[in-house]
Amino acid sequence: MTAKRLLIGAVGDDEDAIAAAARRWRDAGAEVVYLGAGVQAEAVAAAAIGEDVAAIVVDAKGAEPVRAALARAGAEDIEVRVSA
């Protein structure tokens, strides 16, 4: 894997799952900016823009709201992935 700068967070409240995803990405060589769980979609989008990440990894609940927040901010070029 090519080293990527990722922002990882959850709109929902599953801290354990999103923390495990962050560890998997970190162990695979990604640079991880970790927000934790219970974060509003707008805050995820703003942090991603501010941190200049290549992609965002969020829980399934947060994917569409984060995409919408990125679109409102004109940052549709930031990829949004659903945490596995």
Side-chain angles (χ1 to χ4, degrees), residues 35-79:
L35 290 183
V39 184
Q40 292 184 355
E42 291 77 13
V44 172
I49 294 164
E51 291 288 343
D52 193 29
V53 299
I56 301 169
V57 178
V58 294
D59 57 331
K61 178 180 178 179
E64 287 309 312
V66 168
R67 284 186 184 105
L70 287 170
R72 286 190 296 275
E76 297 95 340
D77 59 319
I78 300 175
E79 180 183 0

Side-chain angles (χ1 to χ4, degrees), residues 23-46:
R23 285 190 298 275
R24 284 192 303 274
W25 280 102
R26 182 203 61 212
D27 292 349
E31 180 181 349
V32 172
V33 177
Y34 181 71
L35 290 183
V39 184
Q40 292 184 355
E42 291 77 13
V44 172

Side-chain angles (χ1 to χ4, degrees), residues 6-31:
L6 304 174
L7 183 131
I8 301 180
V11 173
D13 60 0
D14 194 349
E15 182 76 34
D16 292 338
I18 205 67
R23 285 190 298 275
R24 284 192 303 274
W25 280 102
R26 182 203 61 212
D27 292 349
E31 180 181 349

